[in-house]
Amino acid sequence: MTASVAAPQAAAAASKGGSKGELFEFDNSAVVFIDYQPEMLAEVRSMDQKLMMVNARSLARLAVKMGMPVVLSTVGVKGGVNHPTLPELRAEIPDVPEIDRNTMNAWDDDAFRRAVLKTGRRRFVMLGLWTEICLAFPIADMQAEGLRTTFPADAVGGTSKEVHDLAVQRMIQAGSVPNSTFAYIAESGLDWASPQGEIMREIYTWRQAELEKLNLA
């Protein structure tokens, strides 16, 4: 473990939670990635795939540097139907075990459910492909069981803009909180003068550079 990762983890472990309100901060939340696999990405039509992946990678990188628990799941890999997590995302979270499932709803998978609850958190930053199935289904069930969820709508994708937008409405109606990548980076730390402030600046700078490479800045 590098010093840059260890310091935020130590701070998170010592903290009793920064916000007493509604925010999803680094020390009260975990990050969940569901089905960021080549087969799912290939069908995303709701937004630019490359921009979406830069945003997802930004949040993975943020989670590691902030010392936030991360849960990673795939579907259909053991059955030979799909490939594992996309290499560019996997590179950001190389030490996180990949939980493969057969279920469309990740919350129905015992290993996934155990991993989520084992984080000890009650608030979860949820990311998944596709929005209308692999993200909306577990969010609906997690909210129903009293867990709090938020989702960065520009780091997830659906098979069309229409079904993505419908899924966003469904998740909001279930009680999940919509967000954006840029805003969540700020929400995770909140204080520029804290150790987390340095991490937020680093992630913002990295994300901007990646967008410039793609001519998306």
Side-chain angles (χ1 to χ4, degrees):
M1 182 183 298
T2 64
S4 61
V5 175
Q9 285 183 332
S15 173
K16 296 181 180 178
S19 175
K20 302 298 183 183
E22 297 299 313
L23 299 186
F24 291 74
E25 299 177 51
F26 81 98
D27 55 1
N28 67 17
S29 305
V31 181
V32 179
F33 292 93
I34 302 173
D35 300 351
Y36 279 80
Q37 298 164 256
E39 292 79 9
M40 282 59 170
L41 179 63
E43 300 300 322
V44 169
R45 300 288 185 271
S46 57
M47 67 175 293
D48 184 277
Q49 294 178 3
K50 292 181 179 178
L51 173 58
M52 185 195 73
M53 286 305 301
V54 167
N55 289 334
R57 290 169 60 205
S58 297
L59 295 175
R61 181 169 289 222
L62 177 78
V64 170
K65 290 183 177 294
M66 290 283 195
M68 300 171 69
V70 177
V71 176
L72 174 66
S73 186
T74 57
V75 65
V77 175
K78 292 179 181 177
V81 179
N82 297 321
H83 287 82
T85 301
L86 290 151
E88 58 265 41
L89 178 61
R90 199 69 174 107
E92 303 293 344
I93 45 175
D95 299 326
V96 178
E98 201 173 65
I99 302 166
D100 193 51
R101 323 177 315 278
N102 294 317
T103 62
M104 286 184 282
N105 182 357
W107 198 242
D108 288 337
D109 182 84
D110 289 340
F112 176 87
R113 187 186 183 99
R114 285 195 303 270
V116 168
L117 297 177
K118 189 177 179 180
T119 66
R121 304 293 170 96
R122 301 290 295 176
R123 303 185 188 199
F124 297 91
V125 182
M126 302 290 294
L127 300 96
L129 303 180
W130 303 309
T131 321
E132 64 268 27
I133 299 174
C134 298
L135 185 62
F137 292 0
I139 279 181
D141 278 345
M142 290 168 71
Q143 286 288 145
E145 293 194 23
L147 301 174
R148 299 284 312 285
T149 66
T150 185
F151 60 95
D154 58 352
V156 306
T159 54
S160 73
K161 186 177 186 305
E162 290 76 14
V163 299
H164 170 84
D165 290 345
L166 284 171
V168 167
Q169 292 180 41
R170 179 180 184 177
M171 293 186 292
I172 292 171
Q173 289 177 0
S176 193
V177 180
N179 210 335
S180 70
T181 298
F182 195 81
Y184 184 70
I185 294 170
E187 185 172 343
S188 67
L190 292 175
D191 186 348
W192 292 118
S194 69
Q196 290 71 43
E198 182 177 348
I199 295 171
M200 291 188 293
R201 282 189 289 272
E202 179 182 341
I203 300 298
Y204 277 133
T205 300
W206 179 87
R207 178 175 178 270
Q208 185 67 18
E210 292 298 306
L211 294 178
E212 288 175 357
K213 292 178 186 177
L214 300 173
N215 295 317
L216 293 173

